[in-house]
Amino acid sequence: MTPARPALLASAAVLPALAALHAAPVISTFGPLRNTAMPRLAGQGRPDHVALTFDDGPDHLSTPHFLALLEARGIHATFFLLGSMLVRSPGLAREMAAAGHEIAVHGWHHRPLLVRGPRATYDDLARARDAVADVTGRPPTLFRPPYGVMTAATHLACRRLDLTPMLWTAWGEDWRKRATPRSVEDTVLKDLRGGGTILLHDSDCTSATGSWRTTLRALPRILDVCQEHGWQVGPLREHGHRAR
């Protein structure tokens, strides 16, 4: 056996192990398991409150419609912004923050972190975090990964950047081309309980074209049901969180 042979064999054994370690947190993508075993990551809070969150903005065409509806209802929400969208509409992001909405990070690009290494993951999150801080004047504290897929590198980057990962307990699958207001309502309400976190999208930049209109039409009924149950609706900062 040549001297290089043991090193090659060791590498062949180590690389799969590192890949498995990197991908292990992907298990949190499975909603039922996440809601049961990872309540904090799932966004479970106090039982009399529901956290309302939106991904993929700010979009100068669609986001103002959501802001107007929320203002009319006297409700604040958490918006997980993409850095690539933020640089297109910084004034809108400032308006959102000034209106009392919580501004959080969704990364710079909407790309799966599973195919990124530690350095690329960190750079993406740091770039988005710094952009949000520069535009709003306040460092963000929450991060939601694209597609809800966490990795070991993502957890490490969040720790270094003082960001708390936050997923959801109920979503509307509102990005789909076949989604309707009724399907979005039903999908959210099927899984929603007091203390839950709702995921919707205020932009169609990564969704079916015009899907945000479907979400906008579904939102009033979702809010009405929350009110009927006596649940306060607001941003994650008011949600409280269960222990890990």
Side-chain angles (χ1 to χ4, degrees):
M1 182 179 290
T2 64
R5 184 72 171 176
L8 290 174
L9 291 174
S11 297
V14 169
L15 290 177
L18 291 176
L21 179 64
H22 174 70
V26 171
I27 194 173
S28 64
T29 307
F30 183 56
L33 175 63
R34 179 176 71 243
N35 293 343
T36 301
M38 311 169 195
R40 184 174 177 83
L41 180 62
Q44 293 188 20
R46 53 189 176 90
D48 64 339
H49 189 269
V50 165
L52 179 63
T53 72
F54 296 91
D55 286 5
D56 292 357
D59 189 313
H60 70 283
L61 294 176
S62 56
T63 302
H65 294 279
F66 289 88
L67 298 178
L69 189 157
L70 294 175
E71 182 179 12
R73 302 286 294 246
I75 292 173
H76 293 126
T78 300
F79 288 84
F80 287 87
L81 306 188
L82 287 170
S84 56
M85 296 292 287
L86 174 63
V87 294
R88 301 178 186 179
S89 302
L92 177 57
R94 279 191 289 269
E95 292 175 15
M96 296 161 69
H101 297 290
E102 183 177 27
I103 307 302
V105 175
H106 199 34
W108 189 268
H109 295 293
H110 201 282
R111 297 173 184 167
L113 294 174
L114 187 60
V115 297
R116 295 187 178 191
R119 184 65 193 182
T121 297
Y122 177 86
D123 289 347
D124 184 271
L125 271 63
R127 185 182 182 190
R129 181 205 62 174
D130 292 347
V132 168
D134 289 344
V135 168
T136 66
R138 179 177 298 177
T141 61
L142 299 176
F143 168 73
R144 176 174 289 157
Y147 307 104
V149 176
M150 293 292 294
T151 65
T154 307
H155 280 289
L156 290 173
C158 284
R159 181 169 298 183
R160 291 177 61 191
L161 295 167
D162 291 326
L163 293 171
T164 299
M166 192 64 59
L167 300 183
W168 59 87
T169 65
W171 62 359
E173 296 187 4
D174 52 342
W175 66 89
R176 299 178 184 272
K177 184 176 182 179
R178 66 173 183 268
T180 66
R182 181 58 182 271
S183 76
V184 173
E185 296 166 16
D186 290 347
T187 305
V188 168
L189 298 175
K190 171 174 63 70
D191 294 323
L192 188 61
R193 305 289 185 274
T197 291
I198 299 171
L199 162 61
L200 296 170
H201 296 79
D202 63 306
S203 168
D204 62 2
C205 69
T206 65
S207 307
T209 301
S211 58
W212 65 267
R213 299 180 187 275
T214 299
T215 307
L216 187 68
R217 290 169 60 193
L219 185 55
R221 176 58 183 159
I222 293 171
L223 297 177
D224 288 344
V225 170
C226 289
Q227 184 176 22
E228 291 167 8
H229 281 84
W231 300 330
Q232 300 176 29
V233 179
L236 282 161
R237 65 170 177 249
E238 298 173 359
H239 196 41
H241 297 292
R242 298 183 187 178
R244 292 183 187 274

